[in-house]
Structure formats: structure tokens, C-alpha cells
PDB file of all heavy atoms in Angstrom:
ATOM      1  N   SER A   1      57.731-164.105 150.566  1.00 84.00           N
ATOM      2  CA  SER A   1      56.626-164.029 149.542  1.00 84.00           C
ATOM      3  C   SER A   1      55.866-165.300 149.554  1.00 84.00           C
ATOM      4  O   SER A   1      55.319-165.718 148.531  1.00 84.00           O
ATOM      5  CB  SER A   1      57.315-163.839 148.036  1.00 84.00           C
ATOM      6  OG  SER A   1      58.017-162.756 147.930  1.00 84.00           O
ATOM      7  N   SER A   2      55.745-166.011 150.702  1.00 79.00           N
ATOM      8  CA  SER A   2      55.203-167.228 150.869  1.00 79.00           C
ATOM      9  C   SER A   2      53.590-167.108 150.443  1.00 79.00           C
ATOM     10  O   SER A   2      53.049-168.239 150.167  1.00 79.00           O
ATOM     11  CB  SER A   2      55.271-167.821 152.232  1.00 79.00           C
ATOM     12  OG  SER A   2      54.765-166.995 153.219  1.00 79.00           O
ATOM     13  N   GLU A   3      53.007-166.076 150.542  1.00 85.00           N
ATOM     14  CA  GLU A   3      51.622-165.769 150.337  1.00 85.00           C
ATOM     15  C   GLU A   3      51.398-165.664 148.785  1.00 85.00           C
ATOM     16  O   GLU A   3      50.230-165.713 148.325  1.00 85.00           O
ATOM     17  CB  GLU A   3      51.071-164.554 151.060  1.00 85.00           C
ATOM     18  CG  GLU A   3      51.288-163.234 150.292  1.00 85.00           C
ATOM     19  CD  GLU A   3      52.749-162.706 150.372  1.00 85.00           C
ATOM     20  OE1 GLU A   3      53.553-163.410 150.865  1.00 85.00           O
ATOM     21  OE2 GLU A   3      52.932-161.550 149.933  1.00 85.00           O
ATOM     22  N   LEU A   4      52.419-165.416 147.946  1.00 81.00           N
ATOM     23  CA  LEU A   4      52.242-165.280 146.537  1.00 81.00           C
ATOM     24  C   LEU A   4      51.934-166.556 145.812  1.00 81.00           C
ATOM     25  O   LEU A   4      52.457-167.513 146.173  1.00 81.00           O
ATOM     26  CB  LEU A   4      53.463-164.569 145.957  1.00 81.00           C
ATOM     27  CG  LEU A   4      53.834-163.238 146.490  1.00 81.00           C
ATOM     28  CD1 LEU A   4      55.056-162.651 145.744  1.00 81.00           C
ATOM     29  CD2 LEU A   4      52.666-162.168 146.464  1.00 81.00           C
ATOM     30  N   SER A   5      51.233-166.495 144.838  1.00 75.00           N
ATOM     31  CA  SER A   5      50.862-167.389 143.871  1.00 75.00           C
ATOM     32  C   SER A   5      51.904-167.446 142.743  1.00 75.00           C
ATOM     33  O   SER A   5      52.989-166.765 142.977  1.00 75.00           O
ATOM     34  CB  SER A   5      49.470-167.411 143.218  1.00 75.00           C
ATOM     35  OG  SER A   5      49.496-166.233 142.244  1.00 75.00           O
ATOM     36  N   PHE A   6      51.730-168.305 141.649  1.00 78.00           N
ATOM     37  CA  PHE A   6      52.796-168.300 140.598  1.00 78.00           C
ATOM     38  C   PHE A   6      52.218-167.623 139.392  1.00 78.00           C
ATOM     39  O   PHE A   6      52.544-167.979 138.274  1.00 78.00           O
ATOM     40  CB  PHE A   6      53.207-169.733 140.448  1.00 78.00           C
ATOM     41  CG  PHE A   6      53.782-170.306 141.684  1.00 78.00           C
ATOM     42  CD1 PHE A   6      53.150-171.234 142.410  1.00 78.00           C
ATOM     43  CD2 PHE A   6      55.044-169.865 142.027  1.00 78.00           C
ATOM     44  CE1 PHE A   6      53.776-171.879 143.475  1.00 78.00           C
ATOM     45  CE2 PHE A   6      55.607-170.369 143.247  1.00 78.00           C
ATOM     46  CZ  PHE A   6      54.958-171.303 143.945  1.00 78.00           C
ATOM     47  N   SER A   7      51.193-166.677 139.519  1.00 82.00           N
ATOM     48  CA  SER A   7      50.705-166.108 138.391  1.00 82.00           C
ATOM     49  C   SER A   7      51.914-165.004 137.914  1.00 82.00           C
ATOM     50  O   SER A   7      52.769-164.884 138.733  1.00 82.00           O
ATOM     51  CB  SER A   7      49.569-165.170 138.828  1.00 82.00           C
ATOM     52  OG  SER A   7      49.802-164.132 139.632  1.00 82.00           O
ATOM     53  N   ARG A   8      51.759-164.445 136.657  1.00 89.00           N
ATOM     54  CA  ARG A   8      52.702-163.560 136.270  1.00 89.00           C
ATOM     55  C   ARG A   8      52.727-162.336 137.186  1.00 89.00           C
ATOM     56  O   ARG A   8      53.883-161.772 137.588  1.00 89.00           O
ATOM     57  CB  ARG A   8      52.326-163.073 134.860  1.00 89.00           C
ATOM     58  CG  ARG A   8      53.352-162.024 134.332  1.00 89.00           C
ATOM     59  CD  ARG A   8      53.242-161.746 132.813  1.00 89.00           C
ATOM     60  NE  ARG A   8      54.354-160.894 132.371  1.00 89.00           N
ATOM     61  CZ  ARG A   8      54.864-160.912 131.282  1.00 89.00           C
ATOM     62  NH1 ARG A   8      54.630-161.801 130.350  1.00 89.00           N
ATOM     63  NH2 ARG A   8      55.988-159.994 131.016  1.00 89.00           N
ATOM     64  N   GLU A   9      51.626-161.940 137.656  1.00 90.00           N
ATOM     65  CA  GLU A   9      51.543-160.680 138.658  1.00 90.00           C
ATOM     66  C   GLU A   9      52.358-161.010 139.899  1.00 90.00           C
ATOM     67  O   GLU A   9      53.177-160.210 140.380  1.00 90.00           O
ATOM     68  CB  GLU A   9      50.204-160.250 138.833  1.00 90.00           C
ATOM     69  CG  GLU A   9      49.416-159.776 137.600  1.00 90.00           C
ATOM     70  CD  GLU A   9      49.060-160.838 136.614  1.00 90.00           C
ATOM     71  OE1 GLU A   9      48.994-162.018 137.084  1.00 90.00           O
ATOM     72  OE2 GLU A   9      48.591-160.497 135.557  1.00 90.00           O
ATOM     73  N   ASP A  10      52.185-162.251 140.441  1.00 90.00           N
ATOM     74  CA  ASP A  10      52.874-162.427 141.704  1.00 90.00           C
ATOM     75  C   ASP A  10      54.416-162.813 141.551  1.00 90.00           C
ATOM     76  O   ASP A  10      55.164-162.386 142.305  1.00 90.00           O
ATOM     77  CB  ASP A  10      52.111-163.660 142.332  1.00 90.00           C
ATOM     78  CG  ASP A  10      50.911-163.265 143.140  1.00 90.00           C
ATOM     79  OD1 ASP A  10      50.653-161.898 143.135  1.00 90.00           O
ATOM     80  OD2 ASP A  10      50.247-164.091 143.645  1.00 90.00           O
ATOM     81  N   ARG A  11      54.782-163.428 140.406  1.00 90.00           N
ATOM     82  CA  ARG A  11      56.090-163.619 140.118  1.00 90.00           C
ATOM     83  C   ARG A  11      56.834-162.227 139.983  1.00 90.00           C
ATOM     84  O   ARG A  11      57.986-162.020 140.436  1.00 90.00           O
ATOM     85  CB  ARG A  11      56.299-164.438 138.732  1.00 90.00           C
ATOM     86  CG  ARG A  11      55.882-165.923 138.887  1.00 90.00           C
ATOM     87  CD  ARG A  11      56.182-166.555 137.475  1.00 90.00           C
ATOM     88  NE  ARG A  11      55.529-167.902 137.721  1.00 90.00           N
ATOM     89  CZ  ARG A  11      55.720-168.766 136.612  1.00 90.00           C
ATOM     90  NH1 ARG A  11      56.579-168.615 135.547  1.00 90.00           N
ATOM     91  NH2 ARG A  11      55.153-170.037 136.760  1.00 90.00           N
ATOM     92  N   ASP A  12      56.212-161.257 139.303  1.00 93.00           N
ATOM     93  CA  ASP A  12      56.692-160.028 139.091  1.00 93.00           C
ATOM     94  C   ASP A  12      56.853-159.227 140.625  1.00 93.00           C
ATOM     95  O   ASP A  12      57.995-158.624 140.833  1.00 93.00           O
ATOM     96  CB  ASP A  12      55.802-159.164 138.120  1.00 93.00           C
ATOM     97  CG  ASP A  12      56.036-159.470 136.690  1.00 93.00           C
ATOM     98  OD1 ASP A  12      56.897-160.303 136.381  1.00 93.00           O
ATOM     99  OD2 ASP A  12      55.270-158.954 135.957  1.00 93.00           O
ATOM    100  N   LEU A  13      55.800-159.430 141.304  1.00 91.00           N
ATOM    101  CA  LEU A  13      55.986-158.823 142.566  1.00 91.00           C
ATOM    102  C   LEU A  13      57.029-159.340 143.461  1.00 91.00           C
ATOM    103  O   LEU A  13      57.838-158.770 144.171  1.00 91.00           O
ATOM    104  CB  LEU A  13      54.650-159.089 143.430  1.00 91.00           C
ATOM    105  CG  LEU A  13      54.652-158.588 144.791  1.00 91.00           C
ATOM    106  CD1 LEU A  13      54.940-157.078 145.013  1.00 91.00           C
ATOM    107  CD2 LEU A  13      53.126-158.761 145.500  1.00 91.00           C
ATOM    108  N   ASN A  14      57.311-160.790 143.389  1.00 92.00           N
ATOM    109  CA  ASN A  14      58.436-161.298 143.980  1.00 92.00           C
ATOM    110  C   ASN A  14      59.865-160.682 143.564  1.00 92.00           C
ATOM    111  O   ASN A  14      60.649-160.491 144.403  1.00 92.00           O
ATOM    112  CB  ASN A  14      58.441-162.917 143.930  1.00 92.00           C
ATOM    113  CG  ASN A  14      59.429-163.570 144.777  1.00 92.00           C
ATOM    114  OD1 ASN A  14      59.510-163.324 145.863  1.00 92.00           O
ATOM    115  ND2 ASN A  14      60.298-164.512 144.144  1.00 92.00           N
ATOM    116  N   ILE A  15      59.969-160.490 142.345  1.00 94.00           N
ATOM    117  CA  ILE A  15      61.175-159.894 141.874  1.00 94.00           C
ATOM    118  C   ILE A  15      61.224-158.391 142.204  1.00 94.00           C
ATOM    119  O   ILE A  15      62.431-158.054 142.505  1.00 94.00           O
ATOM    120  CB  ILE A  15      61.234-159.988 140.288  1.00 94.00           C
ATOM    121  CG1 ILE A  15      61.233-161.423 139.794  1.00 94.00           C
ATOM    122  CG2 ILE A  15      62.446-159.254 139.698  1.00 94.00           C
ATOM    123  CD1 ILE A  15      62.307-162.205 140.450  1.00 94.00           C
ATOM    124  N   ARG A  16      60.075-157.642 142.337  1.00 94.00           N
ATOM    125  CA  ARG A  16      60.166-156.318 142.801  1.00 94.00           C
ATOM    126  C   ARG A  16      60.744-156.254 144.158  1.00 94.00           C
ATOM    127  O   ARG A  16      61.511-155.473 144.637  1.00 94.00           O
ATOM    128  CB  ARG A  16      58.958-155.657 142.617  1.00 94.00           C
ATOM    129  CG  ARG A  16      58.474-155.234 141.231  1.00 94.00           C
ATOM    130  CD  ARG A  16      57.499-154.249 141.187  1.00 94.00           C
ATOM    131  NE  ARG A  16      56.219-154.861 141.713  1.00 94.00           N
ATOM    132  CZ  ARG A  16      55.313-155.467 140.984  1.00 94.00           C
ATOM    133  NH1 ARG A  16      55.577-155.700 139.696  1.00 94.00           N
ATOM    134  NH2 ARG A  16      54.125-155.803 141.546  1.00 94.00           N
ATOM    135  N   ARG A  17      60.249-157.247 145.061  1.00 94.00           N
ATOM    136  CA  ARG A  17      60.659-157.348 146.441  1.00 94.00           C
ATOM    137  C   ARG A  17      62.098-157.621 146.493  1.00 94.00           C
ATOM    138  O   ARG A  17      62.840-157.048 147.428  1.00 94.00           O
ATOM    139  CB  ARG A  17      59.885-158.372 147.106  1.00 94.00           C
ATOM    140  CG  ARG A  17      58.394-158.136 147.465  1.00 94.00           C
ATOM    141  CD  ARG A  17      57.610-159.150 148.128  1.00 94.00           C
ATOM    142  NE  ARG A  17      56.269-158.828 148.248  1.00 94.00           N
ATOM    143  CZ  ARG A  17      55.386-159.568 148.920  1.00 94.00           C
ATOM    144  NH1 ARG A  17      55.609-161.004 149.289  1.00 94.00           N
ATOM    145  NH2 ARG A  17      54.056-159.283 149.080  1.00 94.00           N
ATOM    146  N   ILE A  18      62.580-158.579 145.699  1.00 96.00           N
ATOM    147  CA  ILE A  18      64.135-158.729 145.511  1.00 96.00           C
ATOM    148  C   ILE A  18      64.868-157.408 145.311  1.00 96.00           C
ATOM    149  O   ILE A  18      65.792-157.067 145.891  1.00 96.00           O
ATOM    150  CB  ILE A  18      64.407-159.909 144.640  1.00 96.00           C
ATOM    151  CG1 ILE A  18      63.841-161.204 145.196  1.00 96.00           C
ATOM    152  CG2 ILE A  18      65.910-159.901 144.293  1.00 96.00           C
ATOM    153  CD1 ILE A  18      64.155-162.364 144.208  1.00 96.00           C
ATOM    154  N   GLY A  19      64.190-156.796 144.226  1.00 97.00           N
ATOM    155  CA  GLY A  19      64.944-155.524 143.941  1.00 97.00           C
ATOM    156  C   GLY A  19      65.043-154.420 145.086  1.00 97.00           C
ATOM    157  O   GLY A  19      65.819-153.721 145.287  1.00 97.00           O
ATOM    158  N   PHE A  20      63.801-154.462 145.735  1.00 97.00           N
ATOM    159  CA  PHE A  20      63.899-153.401 146.920  1.00 97.00           C
ATOM    160  C   PHE A  20      64.777-153.807 147.869  1.00 97.00           C
ATOM    161  O   PHE A  20      65.574-152.863 148.422  1.00 97.00           O
ATOM    162  CB  PHE A  20      62.398-153.467 147.567  1.00 97.00           C
ATOM    163  CG  PHE A  20      62.332-152.614 148.711  1.00 97.00           C
ATOM    164  CD1 PHE A  20      62.258-151.174 148.666  1.00 97.00           C
ATOM    165  CD2 PHE A  20      62.239-153.134 149.986  1.00 97.00           C
ATOM    166  CE1 PHE A  20      62.151-150.417 149.848  1.00 97.00           C
ATOM    167  CE2 PHE A  20      62.252-152.403 151.118  1.00 97.00           C
ATOM    168  CZ  PHE A  20      62.110-151.080 151.154  1.00 97.00           C
ATOM    169  N   VAL A  21      64.886-155.014 148.343  1.00 97.00           N
ATOM    170  CA  VAL A  21      65.786-155.377 149.436  1.00 97.00           C
ATOM    171  C   VAL A  21      67.190-155.247 148.921  1.00 97.00           C
ATOM    172  O   VAL A  21      68.097-154.726 149.666  1.00 97.00           O
ATOM    173  CB  VAL A  21      65.579-156.904 149.731  1.00 97.00           C
ATOM    174  CG1 VAL A  21      66.665-157.427 150.695  1.00 97.00           C
ATOM    175  CG2 VAL A  21      64.197-157.123 150.434  1.00 97.00           C
ATOM    176  N   ALA A  22      67.559-155.581 147.656  1.00 98.00           N
ATOM    177  CA  ALA A  22      68.911-155.360 147.183  1.00 98.00           C
ATOM    178  C   ALA A  22      69.285-153.904 147.095  1.00 98.00           C
ATOM    179  O   ALA A  22      70.336-153.422 147.431  1.00 98.00           O
ATOM    180  CB  ALA A  22      68.981-155.930 145.669  1.00 98.00           C
ATOM    181  N   GLY A  23      68.252-152.999 146.757  1.00 97.00           N
ATOM    182  CA  GLY A  23      68.506-151.635 146.825  1.00 97.00           C
ATOM    183  C   GLY A  23      68.846-151.037 148.090  1.00 97.00           C
ATOM    184  O   GLY A  23      69.725-150.171 148.370  1.00 97.00           O
ATOM    185  N   GLU A  24      68.256-151.459 149.207  1.00 97.00           N
ATOM    186  CA  GLU A  24      68.398-151.109 150.557  1.00 97.00           C
ATOM    187  C   GLU A  24      69.776-151.506 151.005  1.00 97.00           C
ATOM    188  O   GLU A  24      70.517-150.699 151.714  1.00 97.00           O
ATOM    189  CB  GLU A  24      67.486-151.725 151.495  1.00 97.00           C
ATOM    190  CG  GLU A  24      65.964-151.038 151.262  1.00 97.00           C
ATOM    191  CD  GLU A  24      66.004-149.624 151.561  1.00 97.00           C
ATOM    192  OE1 GLU A  24      66.301-149.129 152.669  1.00 97.00           O
ATOM    193  OE2 GLU A  24      65.695-148.823 150.645  1.00 97.00           O
ATOM    194  N   VAL A  25      70.258-152.703 150.504  1.00 98.00           N
ATOM    195  CA  VAL A  25      71.747-153.108 150.945  1.00 98.00           C
ATOM    196  C   VAL A  25      72.649-152.203 150.067  1.00 98.00           C
ATOM    197  O   VAL A  25      73.718-151.773 150.749  1.00 98.00           O
ATOM    198  CB  VAL A  25      71.826-154.644 150.568  1.00 98.00           C
ATOM    199  CG1 VAL A  25      73.388-155.002 150.838  1.00 98.00           C
ATOM    200  CG2 VAL A  25      70.882-155.546 151.443  1.00 98.00           C
ATOM    201  N   VAL A  26      72.338-152.022 148.758  1.00 97.00           N
ATOM    202  CA  VAL A  26      73.340-151.330 147.986  1.00 97.00           C
ATOM    203  C   VAL A  26      73.509-149.773 148.554  1.00 97.00           C
ATOM    204  O   VAL A  26      74.529-149.129 148.482  1.00 97.00           O
ATOM    205  CB  VAL A  26      72.808-151.358 146.589  1.00 97.00           C
ATOM    206  CG1 VAL A  26      73.532-150.297 145.675  1.00 97.00           C
ATOM    207  CG2 VAL A  26      73.146-152.722 145.970  1.00 97.00           C
ATOM    208  N   LYS A  27      72.285-149.219 149.061  1.00 96.00           N
ATOM    209  CA  LYS A  27      72.303-147.866 149.482  1.00 96.00           C
ATOM    210  C   LYS A  27      73.377-147.710 150.597  1.00 96.00           C
ATOM    211  O   LYS A  27      73.900-146.525 150.748  1.00 96.00           O
ATOM    212  CB  LYS A  27      70.977-147.601 150.043  1.00 96.00           C
ATOM    213  CG  LYS A  27      70.904-146.201 150.749  1.00 96.00           C
ATOM    214  CD  LYS A  27      69.296-145.844 150.932  1.00 96.00           C
ATOM    215  CE  LYS A  27      68.658-146.794 151.972  1.00 96.00           C
ATOM    216  NZ  LYS A  27      67.322-146.269 152.278  1.00 96.00           N
ATOM    217  N   HIS A  28      73.691-148.827 151.260  1.00 95.00           N
ATOM    218  CA  HIS A  28      74.671-148.663 152.528  1.00 95.00           C
ATOM    219  C   HIS A  28      76.078-149.118 152.050  1.00 95.00           C
ATOM    220  O   HIS A  28      76.794-149.500 152.915  1.00 95.00           O
ATOM    221  CB  HIS A  28      74.146-149.311 153.729  1.00 95.00           C
ATOM    222  CG  HIS A  28      72.828-148.786 154.171  1.00 95.00           C
ATOM    223  ND1 HIS A  28      72.782-147.456 154.847  1.00 95.00           N
ATOM    224  CD2 HIS A  28      71.565-149.165 154.110  1.00 95.00           C
ATOM    225  CE1 HIS A  28      71.579-147.194 155.186  1.00 95.00           C
ATOM    226  NE2 HIS A  28      70.854-148.245 154.687  1.00 95.00           N
ATOM    227  N   GLY A  29      76.192-149.255 150.742  1.00 96.00           N
ATOM    228  CA  GLY A  29      77.585-149.766 150.154  1.00 96.00           C
ATOM    229  C   GLY A  29      77.686-151.170 150.128  1.00 96.00           C
ATOM    230  O   GLY A  29      78.793-151.561 149.975  1.00 96.00           O
ATOM    231  N   GLY A  30      76.707-151.943 150.304  1.00 97.00           N
ATOM    232  CA  GLY A  30      76.876-153.347 150.394  1.00 97.00           C
ATOM    233  C   GLY A  30      76.912-154.054 148.988  1.00 97.00           C
ATOM    234  O   GLY A  30      76.512-153.412 147.908  1.00 97.00           O
ATOM    235  N   THR A  31      77.312-155.272 148.997  1.00 98.00           N
ATOM    236  CA  THR A  31      77.295-156.045 147.759  1.00 98.00           C
ATOM    237  C   THR A  31      76.119-157.213 147.824  1.00 98.00           C
ATOM    238  O   THR A  31      76.075-157.801 148.841  1.00 98.00           O
ATOM    239  CB  THR A  31      78.653-156.760 147.621  1.00 98.00           C
ATOM    240  OG1 THR A  31      79.642-155.695 147.449  1.00 98.00           O
ATOM    241  CG2 THR A  31      78.769-157.556 146.296  1.00 98.00           C
ATOM    242  N   VAL A  32      75.510-157.330 146.765  1.00 98.00           N
ATOM    243  CA  VAL A  32      74.351-158.268 146.710  1.00 98.00           C
ATOM    244  C   VAL A  32      74.566-159.154 145.503  1.00 98.00           C
ATOM    245  O   VAL A  32      74.865-158.711 144.426  1.00 98.00           O
ATOM    246  CB  VAL A  32      72.893-157.585 146.622  1.00 98.00           C
ATOM    247  CG1 VAL A  32      71.908-158.627 146.594  1.00 98.00           C
ATOM    248  CG2 VAL A  32      72.787-156.634 147.764  1.00 98.00           C
ATOM    249  N   VAL A  33      74.273-160.394 145.751  1.00 98.00           N
ATOM    250  CA  VAL A  33      74.250-161.390 144.556  1.00 98.00           C
ATOM    251  C   VAL A  33      72.770-161.934 144.562  1.00 98.00           C
ATOM    252  O   VAL A  33      72.349-162.591 145.474  1.00 98.00           O
ATOM    253  CB  VAL A  33      75.252-162.576 144.687  1.00 98.00           C
ATOM    254  CG1 VAL A  33      75.054-163.505 143.585  1.00 98.00           C
ATOM    255  CG2 VAL A  33      76.692-161.837 144.503  1.00 98.00           C
TER     256      VAL A  33
END
């Protein structure tokens, strides 16, 4: 997310990206912290 600013919208997008990656790991039985 290096292209993102620190606006609320971009902070939210960063968290959504984290959620997506976490979901992909969890889909295959993985553990995410």
C-alpha cells in the first residue's frame, strides 16, 4: 500500500487489503495474526 495516503479512505483501503490477504490464507486452512 505504498501508494496510499493517510486519508480515512486510504487507511480503510489498507485494512481491506489486509482483510483480503488474511482471507486468502484462511481459505487454505492457515493461521494469520
Side-chain angles (χ1 to χ4, degrees):
S1 301
S2 60
E3 84 285 4
L4 298 182
S5 71
F6 300 107
S7 66
R8 177 166 186 150
E9 293 75 18
D10 280 358
R11 293 184 188 188
D12 284 351
L13 177 55
N14 192 46
I15 297 305
R16 285 197 296 273
R17 288 177 180 178
I18 289 175
F20 173 78
V21 174
E24 290 299 297
V25 176
V26 165
K27 179 168 65 175
H28 298 288
T31 299
V32 181
V33 173

